[in-house]
Amino acid sequence: MPPGFQDEGLRAALALRAERPGLPVLVLSQYVQRSYAADLLDAGDGTGVGYLLKDRIGQVEEFLDALARVADGGTVVDPEVVRQLLRRHRDPLAALTPREREVLGLVAEGHSNGAVARRLVVTEAAVGKHIGNILAKLDLPPAEDTHRRVLAVLTYLKA
């Protein structure tokens, strides 16, 4: 959603639900933002709310059914959203490969991509790819008001 094409739509949905708790809201998102999804599903009395992933909306009939259920006060949640919400209580680093953990550990020590690459005897591009995978697996999509690399390090340190 413009202007930043990041989390503006989710923030708008939360603001709308805060202002009018009974307002039916169906969010279509490119990816799961667990904190926003949990907040949205907890907003108001928990009715008339939905969170679907765009790439899963393949059939017009299914989308219209979901829209009607939310408008009628029901709750519609994409299975991937449910999976990720339930997973949030587990080790957040469990999805990382051993190499990704190693890269994140070096980043947590304060090393730059270049320093990590030299230490692991790989290219900086390989390190960048690992970091991109880490950010995706830790559910840290781009956002204007956060620094994803710092959040990844904090997740590593908490785990």
Side-chain angles (χ1 to χ4, degrees):
M1 182 171 170
F5 297 96
Q6 295 179 17
D7 62 359
E8 294 86 357
L10 287 163
R11 287 186 291 157
L14 285 169
L16 287 167
R17 288 287 288 197
E19 188 174 309
R20 294 184 53 203
L23 179 70
V25 174
L26 176 59
V27 169
L28 296 176
S29 184
Q30 189 66 34
Y31 45 82
V32 178
Q33 285 213 344
R34 290 188 299 217
S35 62
Y36 286 128
D39 289 346
L40 181 67
L41 295 171
D42 285 340
D45 62 1
T47 63
V49 66
Y51 193 119
L52 298 175
L53 296 179
K54 290 178 183 178
D55 62 347
R56 295 214 195 240
I57 304 294
Q59 300 290 334
V60 173
E61 297 84 22
E62 290 176 24
F63 173 70
L64 292 175
D65 177 60
L67 191 59
R69 284 188 287 157
V70 169
D72 288 340
T75 302
V76 178
V77 183
D78 190 286
E80 179 62 18
V81 174
V82 172
R83 187 183 71 74
Q84 289 199 28
L85 286 174
L86 293 174
R87 188 180 75 188
R88 76 184 200 172
H89 296 294
R90 295 188 207 149
D91 177 10
L93 304 180
L96 302 183
T97 66
R99 180 60 112 183
E100 290 165 348
R101 282 179 182 250
E102 187 176 20
V103 168
L104 185 54
L106 292 169
V107 169
E109 291 175 11
H111 297 288
S112 67
N113 285 11
V116 172
R118 287 187 296 280
R119 190 119 181 225
L120 299 179
V121 191
V122 296
T123 66
E124 278 192 58
V127 172
K129 185 163 180 79
H130 284 306
I131 290 174
N133 291 339
I134 291 166
L135 297 174
K137 289 178 180 180
L138 294 180
D139 191 30
L140 297 171
E144 287 182 22
D145 56 347
T146 59
H147 192 289
R148 299 182 311 154
R149 190 172 172 119
V150 171
L151 292 175
V153 166
L154 291 173
T155 302
Y156 175 83
L157 295 174
K158 288 177 187 175

